[in-house]
Amino acid sequence: MADALTRRLAVDLDRAFPAVVDAHGPMVLAILTRLGDAAEAEDLCQDVFTRAYAALEGYGPERIAQLALRPWLVTLARNALRNEHRRRGRKPTVPLAGGEGEPPRSSIGQPERDAVDRDQARDLEALIRRLPDRQQQVVVLRHVAGLTTREVAGVLGCPEGTVKSELSRGLARLRELVVDQRRSEERL
Amino acid sequence: MSRDRERASATEAGIARQLSTLRPPVSPQLRVAILDRTGLVDHYAPVDTPLGLGLVAFNRRGASLLHVSIDEAEFAAMFAARIGRPLLPAGRPPADVVRALSTGRGQPVAADLRSVGQFQRDVLMAIREIPPGQVRSYGWVAARIGRPAAVRAVGTALARNPVPLLIPCHRVVRSDGAIGHYLFGTEAKARLLRDEAERAGRSPAG
């Protein structure tokens, strides 16, 4: 289970920890941004890594060496989100569909493809929020955060098969939402 | 698979690809903030000491390195060799460090002793509470940490005190009354002890 980074961490926590932030920071921040209030994500990200460090300090080398770092950090991130929701007493308010008021983007040339992809990605940010909770979780953990389906299953505590079916349902639902959105934009 | 279904899965694959671009980068500011909160990056600033202008490095846990009569490049090199964490300039030193160095009293300042080994840490912790105006012997320190035979090693540990003045290694002297070594020189040690004794004598609270 131990990868090179985990081994370094077990030998010298202080020197290796910045590399953990570099390697897994984007994943943690992605989860916090896409499953929580994006405006709070950076603060929560600090909390998650501060907690992670404090926990690792208490673990000692042997336990650190056994650690599956990625799923562990994901669990810390999800706990941080749960605590934040509880603290607020409600789910964070999130913007619904994005992209309102943008010019129609028909007949565009190849050089603009990248920009369009970025636009579509931005639309997806908003559309993810409209997925049912469970699908939202698996889609973000698998496709945004980049976990394997097996890691997602471990984190959520359910069989890998369940993750796979939620995932295909989630993607199918996202596709419908994307198609709907395009249609409504074309009508504008 | 039908044409529709094929097209649908191609679209879904495209969506999955775009989702992977929704991973925001960790900005340099966020990275430093995280390392700051875990005490894995230090800041340094000039500070007035009884031995003249010095530089002090510190992080969330406390002061990590102090030296006097040293330029920033030398200090940074010393920090890199002894501590090895990232070091950034700061506007000013922590208030408790300033207070401790200007008055020579007050609460012991928080020190970050992660850079030293267990024996040296024991030695440094044992001498933190020696009040200004008083001295103890190397043998007293050795006995205090339960290593009565390690008198010479105590001397070595004190000579490598990362935060002299804040942890008062100058208040440890030889049992025969000689002043003993000091990392800033014997003359500086004598002057510090003289000043502290004088101030302690003046103040009944000392």
Side-chain angles (χ1 to χ4, degrees):
Chain A
M1 187 58 80
D3 57 12
L5 185 51
T6 320
R7 277 196 298 273
R8 276 173 58 199
L9 210 52
V11 174
D12 189 341
L13 174 60
D14 282 0
R15 272 180 212 265
F17 193 77
V20 174
V21 177
D22 294 336
H24 300 303
M27 174 195 75
V28 168
L29 190 57
I31 291 169
L32 298 170
T33 308
R34 303 306 164 208
L35 293 179
D37 183 346
E40 303 287 331
E42 294 215 335
D43 284 349
L44 283 184
C45 191
Q46 290 185 35
D47 292 345
V48 167
F49 279 103
T50 308
R51 260 164 221 263
Y53 180 80
L56 292 170
E57 263 192 312
Y59 282 179
E62 273 161 41
R63 184 151 173 212
I64 292 176
Q66 303 290 320
L67 204 60
L69 209 49
R70 237 160 40 135
W72 182 67
L73 287 168
V74 172
T75 302
L76 291 183
R78 294 183 75 239
N79 289 346
L81 285 172
R82 202 171 306 139
N83 292 340
E84 182 67 7
H85 289 184
R86 207 173 293 144
R87 197 176 65 76
R88 297 175 173 218
R90 61 188 165 85
K91 281 202 86 169
T93 48
V94 294
L96 289 177
E100 286 98 347
E102 285 175 16
R105 44 175 109 84
S106 54
S107 69
I108 49 164
Q110 194 64 23
E112 290 171 32
R113 275 293 296 261
D114 281 356
V116 171
D117 276 356
R118 270 200 301 279
D119 274 359
Q120 284 177 357
R122 211 160 332 167
D123 288 347
L124 281 174
E125 275 175 44
L127 295 178
I128 298 171
R129 310 267 183 186
R130 291 164 60 180
L131 292 177
D133 197 49
R134 199 70 177 171
Q135 292 174 14
Q136 186 183 328
Q137 299 272 334
V138 294
V139 165
V140 168
L141 292 178
R142 171 72 188 91
H143 290 301
V144 184
L147 268 67
T148 63
T149 48
R150 190 169 179 180
E151 285 173 323
V152 177
V155 166
L156 299 180
C158 65
E160 198 176 348
T162 311
V163 170
K164 285 181 176 163
S165 58
E166 290 282 2
L167 208 50
S168 67
R169 243 171 288 168
L171 279 180
R173 181 71 191 126
L174 260 186
R175 178 175 52 76
E176 287 168 16
L177 289 170
V178 167
V179 170
D180 282 356
Q181 176 155 316
R182 276 192 204 142
R183 270 196 203 121
S184 68
E185 279 172 3
E186 274 160 23
R187 276 200 298 275
L188 286 177
Chain B
M1 220 197 269
S2 72
R3 288 284 293 264
D4 277 357
R5 187 56 229 160
E6 262 174 50
R7 201 174 304 142
S9 20
T11 311
E12 284 164 23
I15 288 174
R17 234 181 356 259
Q18 282 174 3
L19 287 172
S20 70
T21 68
L22 293 183
R23 219 175 296 171
V26 172
S27 66
Q29 293 85 337
L30 176 57
R31 185 178 191 274
V32 167
I34 290 169
L35 297 183
D36 237 342
R37 279 186 50 180
T38 48
L40 292 179
V41 57
D42 292 52
H43 301 265
Y44 72 97
V47 65
D48 277 318
T49 83
L51 298 176
L53 193 62
L55 286 165
V56 62
F58 52 93
N59 60 58
R60 199 156 261 277
R61 296 158 186 249
S64 51
L65 187 69
L66 184 147
H67 213 82
V68 300
S69 311
I70 190 171
D71 70 32
E72 291 193 18
E74 289 170 320
F75 185 77
M78 183 187 282
F79 187 90
R82 294 188 60 172
I83 292 165
R85 287 188 294 268
L87 182 67
L88 300 171
R92 66 182 89 152
D96 60 339
V97 170
V98 174
R99 204 175 314 122
L101 291 172
S102 64
T103 65
R105 61 184 72 232
Q107 294 301 309
V109 166
D112 176 11
L113 297 178
R114 277 177 292 170
S115 67
V116 309
Q118 189 59 51
F119 176 82
Q120 194 184 2
R121 191 172 317 167
D122 290 346
V123 168
L124 295 172
M125 294 310 282
I127 66 160
R128 284 177 84 199
E129 316 283 337
I130 306 173
Q134 296 189 23
V135 294
R136 300 286 186 275
S137 70
Y138 295 100
W140 177 89
V141 180
R144 178 87 177 195
I145 62 169
R147 300 280 299 274
V151 179
R152 185 177 284 271
V154 166
T156 309
L158 294 177
R160 285 190 52 82
N161 179 5
V163 284
L165 299 169
L166 294 173
I167 292 183
C169 55
H170 60 279
R171 293 179 197 146
V172 183
V173 299
R174 282 171 47 172
S175 51
D176 63 7
I179 198 152
H181 293 289
Y182 187 44
L183 74 171
F184 296 136
T186 310
E187 196 276 324
K189 186 173 185 174
R191 182 150 46 92
L192 282 170
L193 291 176
R194 205 165 48 234
D195 290 352
E196 288 183 352
E198 212 168 275
R199 224 180 304 160
R202 266 208 311 263
S203 151

